[in-house]
Amino acid sequence: MKLKLSWKDIESWNYLRALSLPTLPWAAPFLPLLGLPNALLEQPSIWESIYTQAFIEDETHNRMKDWTGSPDGERGELVRQVVTKALSLLAQQMGRDVVIDLEKWVRFHFFSPEAEKAMREWVRTLRDAYLLPDSRRYHRKVHPPAVLEPILPEISELVNLDRRTEIKDALKRVAPPPPYEQIPYEYMEHCYEELMLSQVIDRSLTLKALQTIASKLNDTERSEVAMWAEIQARTMSRYGKPENLCGDKYLQVELPCFDVPSLLDFSALDESALDGTHHS
């Protein structure tokens, strides 16, 4: 899987912001929908404490240096060190596997254009499997394979558009406004985290539907469903892009492996950077 994870300044900012999502008090009711590691949901205070310290550390570095004119990536590298330190602390308290799962979650949702396109194409394709005869598009429907038919009722709530709209409307009702003054053409009614959460919910529900299907099929049956999905995507819409489904790559019980190392595998932190002497 090709990932966009170069630690440029804006990307590092997005990584740190993504890690904040499990700590937001107003988002707590929606966390079970995000596909986060179960350990974080069971003991949220551990990550909340670690992230709060990481946030303070990052803010302190930001205040101590004038970044004007700094090359892109200089601040990103400092954020990487802060994030690596936070994840190391999490590994000490909750185990390395939890950190690996959290990193995979961040990479899947925020740094993989391929995964984003795949989830969008899969949910459209699966929804078309529920088309009824009174639909104007029913005549183009490619009927699902027999191995998928009995699973469709089980995943209907996961792919249902009305259900997702209800969830997002509830999210908007509790999301705070942006914490800064906005210029007119960049106006946002809610904070940026609300948009991030909304997108994660969409992808997570689709992924859960795919994982549910995969858990009930063998390899041959999964290939059959993937072939049906490609035909369905090509047939149902001129805008369909069956190549975005990536075959059965995401039709798995577990996420596919990422081709980048864990941040836990990076070399020891440059302590001089973290005590404020770096790039002084």
Side-chain angles (χ1 to χ4, degrees):
M1 178 183 296
K2 294 182 179 179
L3 294 171
K4 190 180 175 187
L5 190 59
S6 57
W7 292 101
K8 293 182 179 179
D9 292 347
I10 185 61
E11 292 164 342
S12 67
W13 181 85
N14 281 334
Y15 203 106
L16 194 61
R17 185 64 66 91
L19 291 175
S20 77
L21 299 181
T23 73
L24 301 174
W26 55 269
F30 303 92
L31 297 186
L33 301 174
L34 304 185
L36 287 160
N38 287 333
L40 287 187
L41 299 179
E42 294 166 359
Q43 302 182 73
S45 61
I46 293 178
W47 178 243
E48 288 169 6
S49 176
I50 294 173
Y51 179 82
T52 298
Q53 183 58 43
F55 178 81
I56 294 172
E57 198 166 30
D58 180 64
E59 288 290 293
T60 301
H61 298 156
N62 203 28
R63 288 194 303 268
M64 291 177 64
K65 177 176 173 61
D66 181 4
W67 297 98
T68 305
S70 297
D72 189 21
E74 183 174 7
R75 185 167 188 277
E77 170 59 19
L78 199 56
V79 174
R80 181 192 67 77
Q81 295 179 29
V82 170
V83 169
T84 302
K85 180 180 178 181
L87 294 179
S88 297
L89 291 172
L90 181 63
Q92 292 172 21
Q93 298 191 51
M94 304 191 80
R96 180 183 174 89
D97 288 348
V98 174
V99 173
I100 298 298
D101 287 345
L102 180 58
E103 287 184 284
K104 288 174 67 175
W105 179 83
V106 173
R107 291 167 184 167
F108 175 82
H109 286 290
F110 302 102
F111 294 95
S112 178
E114 177 194 277
E116 180 180 355
K117 293 175 183 177
M119 294 303 101
R120 193 182 308 126
E121 199 69 37
W122 267 109
V123 75
R124 281 198 295 250
T125 301
L126 289 173
R127 281 176 186 157
D128 285 339
Y130 295 91
L131 287 176
L132 298 175
D134 58 354
S135 168
R136 61 182 175 80
R137 299 170 62 236
Y138 182 80
H139 70 283
R140 294 204 303 271
K141 173 180 175 180
V142 180
H143 288 278
V147 295
L148 181 58
E149 288 279 7
I151 308 174
L152 289 176
E154 188 173 340
I155 65 169
S156 62
E157 281 290 293
L158 295 172
V159 301
N160 184 270
L161 179 59
D162 290 339
R163 175 58 181 150
R164 293 195 185 192
T165 301
E166 290 175 5
I167 294 171
K168 292 180 187 178
D169 286 346
L171 180 63
K172 289 177 181 178
R173 285 194 291 271
V174 300
Y180 48 81
E181 187 174 346
Q182 302 174 81
I183 53 181
Y185 65 85
E186 290 186 354
Y187 177 77
M188 292 178 62
E189 184 177 356
H190 304 290
C191 62
Y192 187 65
E193 288 84 354
E194 182 271 328
L195 175 61
M196 296 176 76
L197 285 164
S198 179
Q199 293 172 339
V200 171
I201 288 171
D202 264 340
R203 288 189 286 267
S204 292
L205 292 177
T206 302
L207 182 63
K208 187 174 181 181
L210 294 174
Q211 290 172 328
T212 300
I213 295 171
S215 70
K216 299 178 181 299
L217 304 179
N218 59 37
D219 290 349
T220 301
E221 291 167 338
R222 282 193 298 103
S223 296
E224 185 180 352
V225 171
M227 290 177 60
W228 161 80
E230 291 184 8
I231 298 171
Q232 177 93 308
R234 185 179 297 109
T235 303
M236 293 302 294
S237 171
R238 60 180 176 175
Y239 302 110
K241 295 184 177 181
E243 66 274 12
N244 286 346
L245 295 167
C246 300
D248 66 355
K249 179 176 182 177
Y250 294 97
L251 189 60
Q252 306 284 341
V253 175
E254 299 290 339
L255 277 176
C257 293
F258 292 88
D259 57 359
V260 294
S262 165
L263 291 178
L264 297 178
D265 296 328
F266 275 69
S267 58
L269 296 178
D270 178 358
E271 294 297 336
S272 65
L274 294 178
D275 65 14
T277 60
H278 188 61
H279 297 308
S280 58

